Amino acid sequence: MAQKIAVLGAGSWGTALALNCARADEHSTVFLWGHNAAHIKALQQARVNNQHLPSTPLPDNVHPTDDIAVIYDCDMILLVVPSHAFAETLARIQPYVCRQAIGWAIKGFDKQTNDLLSHTFTTQFPDTPFAIIAGPSFAKEVAAGLPTAITVAGSTLAFANDFANFLHNEQMRTYTTDDVIGAQIGGSLKNVIAIAAGISDGLGFGANTRAAIITRGLHEIARLGAASGARNETLMGLSGLGDLLLTCTDDLSRNRRFGLLLGQGYDTQSACAEIGQTVEGVHTAIEATQYAHRHHVRAPITNLIEQLIRGTLSIEAAKQALLSHYPKPETE
């Protein structure tokens, strides 16, 4: 039976996932919702997301819309909005939610509570199963149909397996887990570490320093994950190590490019303007710092990036902080 799917968020990642869902079942109907009516009208007319993915036309079974009510009789809802808009979007869909499978492909924390998005979701939708899409996946490559592997983390493993069926196809391989905490910690913190790696490269520190930042960043992610109840194997998998390597080493990563600009002398505002799209790590660095404090976890790289973003630390001081160190056990 043909399925109806709603992807909420018409940016590059939302559009790419809508394209993937359309490929997974050519008989399905995929609604691509966006809050900006002018952007949606342009999508409807051009049948391509010229703003974000100009090289990939929308197939006939993808329908751009600014009417949130289309989710009412859908089989699946996939939220792909910026993390700071997550709670607001949940409130908007609440009147129309009845039996749909709900998940999100968002890497960040709740802006108001500095908590995991799963906590925000269960507050508004208690006893409702959910799934989280994570892993190394650039929108441009997913849209182009290049082979990609992702993690689908579900509130139950059975629900993760069911939800994965909406996404799995010849181009998209899905792996499932019920470790929703690990998938969120890995997917969120990697953006902050990618900013640090970008800064290092922008300062001209080279491959050795980048490798050190990635490795120590992974240790920082694992430390916060352990304090939160994540499983180590999740953080060593696609949604942790896999996504970290991708985001820290390729210039398709907005977070890495943002860090490069900071290293080259841009401030936060001008770097964000140059990127021209949401840089999730900017918000995440601030929220993750608070999250780490609450869990009494040392997060020196995250703290450094948070201070740079807030403007309480100069790039020169950050450079010195990266270079200054004293011998200590590698496990600390």
Side-chain angles (χ1 to χ4, degrees):
M1 185 175 67
Q3 295 177 318
K4 289 186 178 181
I5 295 168
V7 177
L8 307 185
S12 56
W13 189 213
T15 302
L17 286 172
L19 288 164
N20 180 77
C21 291
R23 290 192 196 105
D25 180 1
E26 63 181 14
H27 300 296
S28 65
T29 298
V30 181
F31 296 105
L32 178 59
W33 175 85
H35 69 92
N36 185 321
H39 178 50
I40 293 300
K41 185 176 181 179
L43 284 175
Q44 292 169 339
Q45 293 175 343
R47 300 298 302 168
V48 65
N49 193 333
N50 284 314
Q51 186 174 350
H52 300 302
L53 294 169
S55 60
T56 314
L58 300 178
D60 291 341
N61 59 336
V62 174
H63 305 279
T65 180
D66 61 355
D67 181 9
I68 197 73
V70 297
I71 69 173
Y72 182 75
D73 63 348
C74 283
D75 300 287
M76 185 264 262
I77 302 171
L78 181 60
L79 283 78
V80 199
V81 298
S83 58
H84 62 265
F86 183 67
E88 176 188 347
T89 306
L90 289 181
R92 291 189 70 170
I93 70 173
Q94 199 158 30
Y96 307 102
V97 170
C98 50
R99 55 174 178 78
Q100 306 95 323
I102 303 178
W104 61 89
I106 306 167
K107 299 169 181 178
F109 291 80
D110 186 290
K111 184 179 181 180
Q112 299 301 321
T113 65
N114 301 314
D115 210 336
L116 298 177
L117 297 183
S118 57
H119 182 268
T120 303
F121 180 84
T122 55
T123 298
Q124 295 200 39
F125 292 92
D127 304 318
T128 300
F130 62 88
I132 297 160
I133 313 306
S137 46
F138 284 141
K140 184 177 180 180
E141 296 187 4
V142 171
L146 298 180
T148 302
I150 60 169
T151 296
V152 179
S155 50
T156 67
L157 191 55
F159 188 77
N161 290 329
D162 289 342
F163 203 87
N165 289 326
F166 289 106
L167 301 161
H168 188 89
N169 55 50
E170 291 182 359
Q171 294 80 32
M172 178 75 78
R173 174 170 290 186
T174 56
Y175 294 86
T176 57
T177 180
D178 59 0
D179 183 9
V180 295
I181 295 176
Q184 290 176 96
I185 292 290
S188 299
L189 267 294
K190 60 91 184 179
N191 285 331
V192 181
I193 307 305
I195 293 175
I199 291 171
S200 173
D201 286 347
L203 290 169
F205 282 172
N208 289 351
T209 309
R210 186 193 317 122
I213 288 172
I214 293 171
T215 307
R216 296 306 299 172
L218 180 61
H219 188 68
E220 188 164 309
I221 292 170
R223 192 161 54 228
L224 187 56
S228 306
R231 296 199 291 266
N232 191 59
E233 60 264 29
T234 305
L235 300 175
M236 294 301 116
L238 291 168
S239 59
L241 177 59
D243 209 359
L244 179 67
L245 289 174
L246 180 77
T247 312
C248 288
T249 59
D250 194 289
D251 287 341
L252 279 178
S253 164
R254 300 175 209 166
N255 294 282
R256 171 178 159 73
R257 296 202 317 270
F258 174 79
L260 281 168
L261 292 171
L262 292 186
Q264 293 164 4
Y266 285 67
D267 60 23
T268 297
Q269 185 175 359
S270 59
C272 285
E274 181 72 17
I275 299 296
Q277 291 178 268
T278 300
V279 181
E280 280 286 11
V282 172
H283 299 286
T284 302
I286 296 170
E287 295 146 10
T289 296
Q290 297 301 316
Y291 187 84
H293 286 167
R294 188 187 314 155
H295 288 80
H296 309 289
V297 173
R298 286 182 57 255
I301 298 175
T302 301
N303 292 344
L304 185 74
I305 301 305
E306 186 260 354
Q307 292 176 66
L308 274 171
I309 287 169
R310 287 191 183 276
T312 58
L313 186 74
S314 68
I315 195 66
E316 186 60 34
K319 178 179 177 179
Q320 293 305 313
L322 283 170
L323 293 174
S324 61
H325 191 262
Y326 58 88
K328 65 178 182 179
E330 189 174 8
T331 53
E332 290 185 4

